[in-house]
Amino acid sequence: MEKVRQGLQGIGRMIFSQCTELINPVMSRGLPPNLIAEDPGISLIFKGTDLNIAALTAELGFLAGPVNHVQTAEMGNQSLNSLALISARYTHTAIGVLSQLMAAHLIAVCQALDLRAMHIQFLELYRPQFYELVIEHYTAGGLIELTQCDKTLLGAESNLSNLPTPSANLTKPSKCSTDNLPNQTKSAALDELSELLWSQVLVSFDTTTSMDAEERFITIVKSLRPVLLDHAVLKKATDFVTRLEGFTNAVSLSMSDAWYSHRDAYLVHGDATAVLGTASRAMYAFVRQSLNVPLMATRNLSTPRTDELRHGSGVHGSQAPTVGSYTGAVYRALRDGTLAKVAVDILKTVV
């Protein structure tokens, strides 16, 4: 039994490490702090989960200790007596503690999956709008055009594979003439600028997760300035500052509006199954659909009243649902074997 408890402790430590990495923005590679769906300044939803899993992991460490308090029995006739039943009872307690830890971890994993899916879907939706803003602000007045033929032809050759038209139907331009180039190739310089700016946007998204949305998008837009300043053509424009100011203001406003509208819609109708694999999709669907555990957000949670606590209401209904009540639903599924059946079905599918 002692070896079993030590094994349970090892599993608990692994789960604790993984869950901590999800909650900590320094190690989660773009996930918000405390896995919040709103702004970090107004919500700390998974801070309690972080404290809870630490306490549960510490308790597993305590329970993993050996049971060696041997006492003499039968008026000294038995100098050693078995403590196997005590060890078994503590092992049963450790299993319950590990189940609580696994339930909290599963809730956090589903939250992280939703937040990652929401981020991916936002980038896919906003990218065309971002490119339109680049075109709007840096093609007016012929600022970016085919002024250097050799550079453009080189860009045309490197971008043939990315064109919608099959490359087999395209011929290499034989001379320095824009008439011989496809329409997509004529905008090679603009495409290059858009890709550089978009790459910087992706980097800035991962480094600004701890900021509120209003401050975050301003910071992201400011990170685009060095890219524009280093551009060989743009930095020589006489109206560079005016264009830069107009572009950054437009991007900041459009990104903020797009983010708020997409986030609000995802909190109501969000679904991460499109970006998940077979096993994770099945477990995610079980938590979200079978157990009715939603994406944790302020609008989905509330502080229970005394009468609700007394009567045990508010677990699945509209009355005072909490992170703890939803974690309890997953815990009960672990203990009664419902979740185990899902895990077995997953193994049958992937093995």
Side-chain angles (χ1 to χ4, degrees):
M1 286 292 97
E2 292 178 1
K3 296 299 183 181
V4 173
R5 290 199 305 278
Q6 291 173 3
L8 296 176
Q9 182 192 19
I11 296 174
R13 285 179 174 178
M14 180 179 63
I15 293 175
F16 171 76
S17 299
Q18 293 177 350
C19 195
T20 300
E21 290 178 1
L22 291 176
I23 296 174
N24 188 350
V26 178
M27 297 182 287
S28 63
R29 297 191 63 182
L31 291 175
N34 300 309
L35 298 178
I36 56 168
E38 295 92 0
D39 290 339
I42 62 174
S43 179
L44 294 171
I45 288 179
F46 273 81
K47 178 61 67 176
T49 299
D50 192 11
L51 300 175
N52 183 34
I53 61 174
L56 293 172
T57 305
E59 186 175 357
L60 280 176
F62 165 74
L63 294 172
V67 181
N68 54 8
H69 301 283
V70 180
Q71 296 292 330
T72 59
E74 197 181 347
M75 295 177 291
N77 185 40
Q78 297 183 21
S79 59
L80 296 177
N81 60 324
S82 175
L83 302 181
L85 293 178
I86 300 175
S87 183
R89 188 168 67 250
Y90 275 97
T91 302
H92 183 269
T93 303
I95 293 174
V97 173
L98 181 62
S99 298
Q100 296 180 49
L101 184 57
M102 293 175 64
H105 176 59
L106 190 55
I107 292 287
V109 169
C110 290
Q111 182 83 1
L113 291 175
D114 268 315
L115 294 176
R116 191 74 77 184
M118 181 175 67
H119 177 71
I120 292 173
Q121 293 174 11
F122 167 75
L123 294 178
E124 292 176 351
L125 292 173
Y126 182 70
R127 184 172 181 172
Q129 185 177 352
F130 179 81
Y131 278 35
E132 290 178 0
L133 290 174
V134 176
I135 295 174
E136 177 183 349
H137 287 82
Y138 288 102
T139 57
L143 181 60
I144 294 182
E145 57 183 359
L146 298 176
T147 57
Q148 300 180 15
C149 182
D150 293 337
K151 179 179 178 181
T152 304
L153 293 180
L154 179 62
E157 294 176 356
S158 63
N159 283 281
L160 286 179
S161 61
N162 297 327
L163 298 179
T165 306
S167 58
N169 298 329
L170 298 177
T171 58
K172 180 179 178 181
S174 59
K175 60 181 181 178
C176 185
S177 173
T178 59
D179 295 335
N180 296 330
L181 297 177
N183 292 333
Q184 294 91 339
T185 306
K186 292 182 180 180
S187 62
L190 186 60
D191 291 342
E192 180 184 1
L193 174 62
S194 300
E195 290 293 339
L196 288 174
L197 292 174
W198 185 250
S199 298
Q200 182 58 44
V201 168
L202 298 181
V203 173
S204 298
F205 257 105
D206 289 345
T207 58
T208 57
T209 56
S210 298
M211 300 180 181
D212 290 349
E214 182 177 356
E215 178 186 3
R216 182 184 190 185
F217 296 124
I218 294 176
T219 303
I220 291 175
V221 171
K222 287 182 179 179
S223 70
L224 302 179
R225 293 176 179 175
V227 178
L228 297 171
L229 285 170
D230 291 339
H231 196 275
V233 177
L234 299 182
K235 66 181 181 180
K236 298 178 181 179
T238 56
D239 58 346
F240 173 80
V241 176
T242 303
R243 288 179 182 269
L244 177 62
E245 182 178 0
F247 174 70
T248 54
N249 290 338
V251 171
S252 178
L253 291 175
S254 66
M255 189 178 295
S256 179
D257 293 341
W259 173 260
Y260 281 124
S261 60
H262 175 71
R263 185 185 67 183
D264 293 343
Y266 192 94
L267 290 178
V268 179
H269 305 291
D271 187 4
T273 54
V275 298
L276 303 180
T278 302
S280 56
R281 186 188 303 115
M283 191 62 68
Y284 173 88
F286 173 75
V287 174
R288 289 286 185 257
Q289 300 172 11
S290 299
L291 298 182
N292 296 322
V293 177
L295 170 64
M296 300 298 172
T298 302
R299 66 177 66 190
N300 299 329
L301 304 171
S302 61
T303 302
R305 299 191 301 269
T306 304
D307 58 334
E308 293 172 340
L309 291 175
R310 185 182 300 112
H311 296 93
S313 59
V315 177
H316 290 293
S318 60
Q319 295 181 342
T322 64
V323 176
S325 65
Y326 289 123
T327 304
V330 179
Y331 170 77
R332 288 188 292 273
L334 277 166
R335 299 294 285 172
D336 63 17
T338 307
L339 194 144
K341 295 178 181 178
V342 178
V344 171
D345 291 340
I346 292 174
L347 292 176
K348 290 180 180 179
T349 303
V350 300
V351 175

